[in-house]
Amino acid sequence: MSLSAPNSPCIGICNIGPAGWCVGCYRTLPEIAGWMRLDAAAQWTVIRACETRRAASARGATGSV
């Protein structure tokens, strides 16, 4: 059984913040630009990274995650 591709995490708030990722979806510019070329597994990896960044942002952490 193959992994289903996730929906794009974009929520239409497109602004790269000081930490280097979008303040809306928490993806980096390379992740945003390459999203459509990634396979499902790589997209899920990006989604997990976004969740980690979102949690770090909620805690007030800065820097690259």
Side-chain angles (χ1 to χ4, degrees):
M1 183 172 157
S2 65
L3 192 60
S4 296
N7 292 327
S8 169
C10 180
I11 61 169
I13 302 173
C14 305
N15 182 11
I16 302 302
W21 55 69
C22 177
V23 299
C25 69
Y26 295 89
R27 290 181 292 172
T28 64
L29 281 174
E31 290 167 345
I32 293 167
W35 181 259
M36 295 304 293
R37 292 185 299 275
L38 298 174
D39 64 18
Q43 287 177 338
W44 281 111
T45 298
V46 170
I47 294 288
R48 286 189 297 275
C50 292
E51 291 168 351
T52 299
R53 293 173 191 142
R54 182 178 287 111
S57 178
R59 290 190 313 268
T62 60
S64 182
V65 175

